[in-house]
């Protein structure tokens, strides 16, 4: 009987004297209909309240035209909320994309013609740009050139290096300071907390207006600082903040926590839709990864919210390519069956990287929580940002933004590509069309790029472990994809060169003729990215859909599926927890995961009171005074109390919530004369006739839940866990032949599950 949750029923009492029903809460009282912070909602109660509300509206709609119009507005309010969420989250994502582009380029130089232009936009407007040097134009100047007039030489390089590091430190310091001062909840990716909130937990302020504002601003600063993090996870948090904001406009959602969570599930879909330009992937992500309760109605609304969000982002066109996505690719060759072997090997790499990352990151985050390190978040962010910038600048693949790096790794080498990765030896008599370039021997540029990519891979693997979980907004999708894309591109180039130099080998003979375009290294980068992202998050279906929406590579679903499934199998062989579940457990959030409970324990093993505990705190139906109730409330912090016939019989009547009792007594004392400390409290249908000398009794039948969820003491815990999971219970009572034996709360279930997996049950509870 723990303070898991606080009920939000409206307490009403009947007074015995006049015999007529008295409703003490006709006028709104503070805190009615709300839950305490860090408590769990009662899903069954919320559902029943919404059904009652809907029934009332339907009945009223037959009375007049105005009531009918009000019922129509109520029915459409869900779609209006989805429209607003889609518009706001799409707009914010577009603004974030444009701001990140500009501020990332600001670390290297500035546009003289218009300082608010990014490097690419600056050179678009130039008439003096050539195709070969499309990144160079007189309007864009690096800082050294602007300050000293020189663009070449050691001095210019060192000045650019110094300013790059200074900008990175400045951005990261601003980000962590804003989070620390104005919105501590704006740090991290937000997805573990969103999962916990959607499962019914209350974290006040986590989806508030300040969090929305600060997260949006600091996300731009954090990504622009060059730290190894992405904006995709935080965009889900931003979209859920938008959802929470619009819920407050409609009482249907603001007063019902269950309905609010349906909106937040759809908002999460809109967040992924704008993060990746993947509306269908967003809906599947919400269904597979974050949502706890996902009825069919929410599926349609998520689809609509994701559509509006994607449409809004497309209208803003932040990437300037008239597409929703940054990584759009067009490969001109199909994939071959023999290539499934390297694709599956990339899946194995993704699973191993996922396992390594989760273990190392959780160990580091635990160290941060339990040592002095956690007391200096600003210093930690500045140190990591400084190290990242110092190590990233010398390598062209780590200096640029991670999104640009992934985009280049995904690209196919066409005839017009000027990238170092496309420095192949061309045959002098090549007369093929531009799109179908045969496999060629790698030139010195490719080998130099391979060395740089190998160093970039080691750098990204190590630095991401220390970056994720710091006190700034930090997503994990893009860094994970970058690790996979680098590994994939290296494997792709290796396979391509093997196919070129050894086309007579039996594995290449059937499908790779000399002079043909057999292997696409960019495809390997795409598959590697999917494998590593799958290894870290354990997504499968939504991952594959996000990847082909992200790249437009519809033809490559099978390689993506093979890599995603392999990475999940390999990672699950070590530990079934993804990164978000691991962080939920690290923070001790009361989240019941969907894994099967296979232990052979019974309800009697878990219920309280235990053998040496004090007896269960209960109320009797007709022998308790107001003072007794007030003393019980004062001396305990339980969420509610079972009501029994008498202490001797222990026959269960029902369950009453602590908040309902407190409000009922407070209201009765204010509004009803004659209710004093020694007034009797009755939970029965009819109070007995009392002598005139007795104080006015208090009848609380109306706040008593007459159908609390009960199980017998011999119910297997497997069934109890299932009931808690599927019905979203906060507590259930344990009886034998109608006699009350004990109570099981959600926290008891979580503790028991921790004990069964040899964990310390107290270490996993939220503090």
């Amino acid at each position: 009987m723990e303070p898991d949750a606080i009920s939000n029923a409206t307490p009403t009492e009947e007074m015995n004297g006049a015999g007529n029903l008295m409703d003490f809460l006709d006028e709104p009282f503070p805190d009615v209909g709300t839950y305490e912070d860090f408590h769990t909602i009662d899903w069954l109660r919320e559902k029943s309240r919404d059904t009652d509300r809907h029934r009332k509206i339907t009945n009223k709609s037959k009375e007049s035209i105005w009531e009918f119009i009000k019922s129509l507005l109520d029915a459409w309010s869900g779609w209006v909320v989805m429209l607003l969420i889609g518009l706001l989250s799409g707009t914010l994502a577009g603004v974030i994309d444009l701001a990140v582009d500009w501020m990332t380029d600001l670390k290297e130089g500035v546009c003289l013609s218009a300082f608010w232009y990014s490097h690419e936009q600056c050179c678009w407007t130039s008439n003096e740009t050539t195709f070969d040097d499309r990144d160079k134009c007189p309007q864009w100047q690096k800082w050294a050139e602007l300050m000293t007039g020189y663009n070449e030489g050691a001095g210019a390089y060192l000045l650019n290096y110094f300013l790059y590091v200074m900008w990175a430190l400045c951005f990261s310091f601003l980000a962590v300071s804003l989070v620390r001062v104005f919105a501590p909840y704006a740090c991290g990716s937000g997805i573990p907390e969103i999962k916990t909130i959607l499962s019914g937990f209350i974290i006040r302020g986590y989806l508030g207006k300040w969090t929305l504002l600060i997260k949006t601003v600091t996300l731009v600063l954090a990504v622009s600082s060059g730290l190894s993090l992405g904006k995709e996870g935080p965009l889900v948090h931003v979209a859920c903040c938008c959802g929470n904001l619009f819920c407050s406009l409609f009482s249907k959602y603001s007063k019902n926590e269950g309905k609010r969570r349906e909106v937040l599930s759809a908002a999460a879909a809109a967040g992924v839709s704008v993060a990746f330009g993947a509306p269908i992937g967003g809906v599947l992500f919400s269904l597979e990864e974050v949502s706890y309760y996902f009825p069919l109605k929410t599926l349609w609304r998520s689809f609509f919210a994701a559509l509006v969000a994607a449409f809004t982002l497309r209208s803003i066109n932040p990437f300037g390519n008239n597409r929703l996505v940054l990584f759009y690719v067009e490969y001109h060759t199909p994939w071959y069956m023999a290539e499934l072997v390297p694709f599956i090997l990339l899946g194995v790499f993704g699973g191993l990287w996922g396992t390594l990352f989760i273990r190392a990151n959780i160990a580091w985050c635990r160290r941060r929580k339990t040592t002095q390190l956690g007391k200096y978040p600003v210093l930690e962010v500045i140190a990591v940002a400084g190290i990242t910038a110092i190590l990233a600048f010398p390598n062209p693949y780590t200096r640029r933004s991670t999104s640009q790096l992934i985009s280049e790794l995904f690209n196919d080498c066409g005839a017009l590509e000027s990238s170092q990765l496309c420095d192949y030896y061309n045959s002098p008599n090549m007369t093929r069309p531009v799109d179908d370039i045969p496999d060629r021997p790698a030139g010195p540029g490719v080998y130099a790029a391979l060395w740089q990519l190998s160093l970039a891979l080691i750098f990204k693997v190590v630095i991401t472990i220390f970056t994720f979980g710091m006190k700034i907004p930090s997503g994990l999708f893009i860094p994970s994809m970058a690790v996979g894309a680098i590994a994939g591109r290296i494997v792709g180039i290796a396979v391509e060169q093997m196919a070129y130099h050894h086309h007579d080998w039996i594995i290449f003979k059937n499908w790779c003729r000399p002079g043909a375009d057999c292997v696409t290294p960019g495809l390997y980068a795409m598959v590697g990215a999917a494998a590593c992202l799958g290894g870290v998050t354990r997504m499968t279906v939504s991952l594959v859909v996000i990847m082909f929406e992200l790249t437009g590579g519809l033809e490559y679903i099978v390689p993506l599926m093979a890599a995603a499934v392999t990475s999940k199998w390999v990672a699950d062989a070590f530990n079934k927890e993804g990164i978000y579940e691991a962080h939920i457990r690290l923070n001790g959030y009361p989240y019941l995961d969907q894994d099967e409970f296979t232990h052979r324990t019974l309800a009697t093993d878990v219920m309280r009171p235990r053998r040496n505990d004090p007896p269960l705190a209960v109320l009797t139906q007709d022998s308790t005074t107001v003072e007794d109730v007030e003393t019980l409330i004062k001396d305990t912090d339980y969420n509610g109390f079972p009501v029994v016939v008498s202490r001797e019989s222990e026959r269960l009547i029902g369950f009453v919530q602590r908040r309902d009792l407190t409000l009922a007594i407070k209201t009765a004392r204010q509004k009803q004369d004659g209710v004093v400390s020694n007034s009797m409290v009755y939970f029965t249908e009819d109070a007995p006739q009392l002598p005139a000398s007795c104080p006015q009794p208090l009848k609380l039948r109306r706040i008593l839940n007459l159908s609390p969820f009960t199980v017998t003491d011999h119910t297997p815990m497997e069934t109890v866990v299932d009931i808690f999971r599927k019905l979203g219970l906060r507590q259930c009572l344990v009886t034998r032949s109608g006699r009350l034996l004990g109570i099981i709360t959600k926290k008891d279930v979580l503790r028991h599950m921790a004990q069964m997996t040899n964990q310390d049950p107290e270490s996993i509870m939220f503090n």
Side-chain angles (χ1 to χ4, degrees):
M1 230 163 37
E2 295 222 345
D4 275 24
I6 296 292
S7 164
N8 56 347
T10 305
T12 54
E13 303 92 32
E14 292 172 38
M15 295 311 299
N16 186 50
N20 57 343
L21 177 69
M22 244 181 149
D23 210 337
F24 289 121
L25 290 180
D26 284 340
E27 297 165 28
F29 267 71
D31 292 336
V32 171
T34 59
Y35 291 90
E36 293 285 352
D37 204 2
F38 305 123
H39 284 62
T40 308
I41 70 168
D42 188 335
W43 285 93
L44 288 176
R45 194 157 193 171
E46 297 295 285
K47 196 163 174 23
S48 139
R49 287 176 68 237
D50 185 60
T51 308
D52 291 345
R53 186 196 64 82
H54 193 264
R55 194 183 297 121
K56 222 177 269 180
I57 288 174
T58 309
N59 292 339
K60 272 190 173 181
S61 68
K62 296 167 188 168
E63 292 171 11
S64 67
I65 291 289
W66 174 236
E67 291 294 344
F68 178 69
I69 291 168
K70 273 164 72 176
S71 75
L72 284 179
L73 290 173
D74 180 78
W76 276 90
S77 61
W79 296 101
V80 173
V81 170
M82 294 306 135
L83 178 71
L84 294 171
I85 290 169
L87 290 170
L88 184 57
S89 54
T91 305
L92 287 176
V95 170
I96 287 168
D97 285 334
L98 291 167
V100 165
D101 255 10
W102 174 66
M103 288 176 71
T104 303
D105 288 343
L106 194 64
K107 289 187 303 190
E108 295 191 44
V110 69
C111 186
L112 299 181
S113 55
F115 76 89
W116 58 88
Y117 277 176
S118 68
H119 188 170
E120 195 176 9
Q121 290 167 327
C122 192
C123 291
W124 277 345
T125 53
S126 171
N127 296 324
E128 300 156 63
T129 310
T130 61
F131 193 82
D132 288 336
D133 288 329
R134 65 199 111 169
D135 286 341
K136 292 179 183 158
C137 56
Q139 283 90 340
W140 178 265
Q141 286 199 348
K142 292 192 172 178
W143 291 111
E145 189 181 355
L146 190 67
M147 292 174 175
T148 64
Y150 297 108
N151 196 22
E152 305 295 328
Y157 180 83
L158 287 172
L159 182 57
N160 281 330
Y161 198 159
F162 173 73
L163 286 169
Y164 179 91
V165 175
M166 284 297 104
W167 278 112
L169 291 173
C170 173
F171 290 160
S172 56
F173 174 71
L174 258 177
V176 71
S177 303
L178 286 170
V179 168
R180 194 166 162 74
V181 175
F182 295 107
Y185 281 151
C187 66
S189 101
I191 292 179
E193 286 77 10
I194 298 292
K195 281 187 78 153
T196 310
I197 288 169
L198 289 178
S199 77
F201 196 53
I202 300 270
I203 308 179
R204 292 245 175 274
Y206 198 80
L207 301 174
K209 298 180 192 73
W210 268 110
T211 308
L212 172 62
L213 178 66
I214 298 300
K215 186 115 185 180
T216 306
V217 173
T218 53
L219 180 54
V220 172
L221 290 164
V223 175
S224 306
S225 70
L227 284 161
S228 183
L229 46 82
K231 60 183 184 299
E232 283 65 25
L235 273 173
V236 174
H237 186 184
V238 166
C240 286
C241 289
C242 298
N244 194 52
L245 180 71
F246 292 124
C247 277
S248 59
L249 304 178
F250 299 88
S251 62
K252 174 179 175 179
Y253 297 109
S254 62
K255 292 183 178 175
N256 191 303
E257 293 291 347
K259 295 295 286 178
R260 188 196 296 264
R261 273 149 186 73
E262 290 180 24
V263 172
L264 296 179
S265 284
V272 173
S273 172
V274 291
F276 290 112
I280 307 292
V283 176
L284 289 171
F285 175 82
S286 181
L287 176 60
E288 180 183 359
E289 192 63 24
V290 295
S291 294
Y292 198 81
Y293 172 63
F294 203 83
L296 194 58
K297 183 168 58 177
T298 305
L299 181 71
W300 303 333
R301 288 185 176 168
S302 303
F303 187 75
F304 179 64
L307 163 73
V308 175
F311 173 77
T312 309
L313 185 65
R314 170 67 182 76
S315 306
I316 295 170
N317 191 20
F319 306 122
N321 58 3
N322 287 323
R323 291 200 173 92
L324 259 179
V325 293
L326 185 56
F327 308 137
Y328 187 80
V329 294
E330 287 180 284
Y331 301 139
H332 303 288
T333 50
W335 61 276
Y336 300 93
M337 283 304 288
E339 288 183 288
L340 273 178
V341 176
F343 293 153
I344 286 168
L345 288 175
L346 283 170
V348 172
F349 170 77
L352 293 172
W353 145 249
T355 305
L356 166 77
F357 175 79
I358 292 169
R359 287 193 179 172
N361 180 252
I362 291 296
W364 180 250
C365 288
R366 186 171 285 118
R367 187 178 178 79
R368 185 187 288 128
K369 279 172 89 85
T370 54
T371 61
Q372 292 293 313
L373 181 69
K375 294 181 180 172
Y376 307 103
V378 178
L379 210 61
E380 184 192 6
V381 169
I382 289 172
V384 173
I387 292 165
T388 304
I390 289 165
L391 294 177
F393 187 84
N395 188 336
Y397 292 107
T398 49
R399 186 188 313 170
R400 70 190 67 181
S401 79
T402 316
S403 296
Q404 289 170 338
L405 168 64
I406 295 171
S407 190
E408 182 168 336
L409 293 169
F410 281 7
N411 255 345
D412 193 12
C413 283
L416 306 175
E417 286 295 333
S418 57
S419 162
Q420 199 181 8
L421 280 168
C422 296
D423 180 24
Y424 290 91
Y425 290 117
N426 286 319
S427 168
N429 56 356
M430 190 174 80
T431 55
R432 289 178 169 274
V434 167
D435 281 347
D436 191 19
I437 297 173
D439 287 348
R440 300 158 289 168
V446 174
Y447 288 115
L450 283 176
W451 274 111
Q452 289 168 343
L453 283 176
S454 302
L455 292 171
L457 179 65
I458 296 164
F459 169 70
K460 287 278 181 195
V461 163
V462 174
I463 207 75
T464 308
I465 289 167
F466 297 100
T467 307
F468 187 70
M470 290 196 303
K471 296 295 177 196
I472 47 169
S474 53
L476 193 58
F477 283 38
I478 288 289
S480 302
M481 286 172 67
V483 167
I486 294 169
R489 187 75 186 210
I490 292 169
V491 170
I493 291 171
V495 173
E496 180 191 48
Q497 293 306 300
M498 275 171 63
Y500 177 80
H501 292 292
H502 305 286
H503 52 77
D504 52 343
W505 284 9
I506 193 158
I507 49 169
F508 300 120
K509 215 174 204 173
N510 297 333
W511 55 278
C512 197
R513 300 181 314 280
D517 181 13
C518 310
V519 180
T520 309
L523 171 60
Y524 285 75
M526 192 165 108
V527 171
C532 283
L533 186 52
V536 170
T537 62
R538 308 297 159 86
M539 297 190 300
T540 49
V541 182
S542 52
L543 171 67
V544 171
V545 175
I546 286 171
M547 285 305 296
F548 82 67
E549 283 190 279
L550 186 62
T551 57
L554 197 60
E555 196 181 331
Y556 304 100
I557 285 181
V558 174
L560 289 171
M561 286 172 78
V565 168
T566 309
S567 74
K568 182 170 171 60
W569 280 344
V570 171
D572 280 354
F574 293 96
N575 193 341
K576 288 199 181 307
E577 275 185 336
I579 186 69
Y580 302 131
E581 288 77 18
H583 272 272
I584 285 171
R585 191 160 55 77
L586 179 71
N587 293 323
Y589 297 134
Y591 181 80
L592 275 173
D593 56 33
Q594 302 298 325
D595 288 341
E596 283 183 29
F597 183 83
T598 53
H599 304 280
R600 299 176 66 85
T601 47
L602 301 175
T604 189
D605 303 324
V606 180
M607 73 175 193
R608 285 176 304 129
R610 304 276 162 76
R611 195 162 288 151
N612 301 321
D613 288 355
L616 201 61
V618 296
L619 296 168
T620 56
Q621 66 174 0
D622 55 9
S623 58
T624 313
T625 64
V626 170
E627 189 178 18
D628 294 338
V629 175
E630 287 177 328
T631 306
L632 186 64
I633 290 170
K634 187 179 164 192
D635 293 348
T636 64
D637 58 356
Y638 299 142
N639 157 57
F641 307 96
V643 177
V644 295
V645 173
S646 67
R647 292 186 190 280
E648 294 73 38
S649 75
E650 294 277 314
R651 295 272 171 208
L652 181 66
I653 301 291
F655 192 83
V656 66
Q657 300 288 347
R658 176 197 191 88
R659 176 172 291 246
D660 294 3
L661 273 174
T662 311
L663 279 169
I665 291 170
K666 180 183 168 189
T667 313
R669 281 184 181 278
Q670 286 175 355
K671 291 203 167 187
Q672 184 64 34
D673 293 334
V675 173
V676 290
S677 292
N678 60 343
S679 295
M680 297 301 291
V681 175
Y682 289 105
F683 291 99
T684 51
E685 195 69 56
D686 300 304
Q689 290 298 320
L690 297 171
S693 59
C694 289
Q696 184 85 349
L698 186 57
K699 192 170 177 190
L700 299 182
R701 177 80 168 185
R702 291 293 298 275
I703 64 166
L704 181 65
N705 176 7
L706 290 165
S707 55
F709 210 94
T710 59
V711 294
T712 69
D713 54 335
H714 287 293
T715 307
M717 272 311 290
E718 187 182 352
T719 308
V720 175
V721 170
D722 234 19
I723 291 167
F724 269 88
R725 217 179 256 148
K726 288 177 178 161
L727 296 180
L729 296 183
R730 290 174 305 161
Q731 75 273 317
C732 81
L733 302 171
V734 183
T735 61
R736 183 194 290 161
S737 309
R739 185 170 166 271
L740 180 67
L741 295 181
I743 189 167
I744 299 176
T745 66
K746 189 173 183 180
K747 285 185 180 175
D748 293 329
V749 173
L750 286 161
R751 281 197 190 94
H752 182 64
M753 290 171 79
Q755 275 175 328
M756 292 293 104
T757 51
N758 298 320
Q759 294 170 5
D760 174 15
E762 294 311 315
S763 71
I764 65 145
M765 297 318 294
F766 182 69
N767 184 355

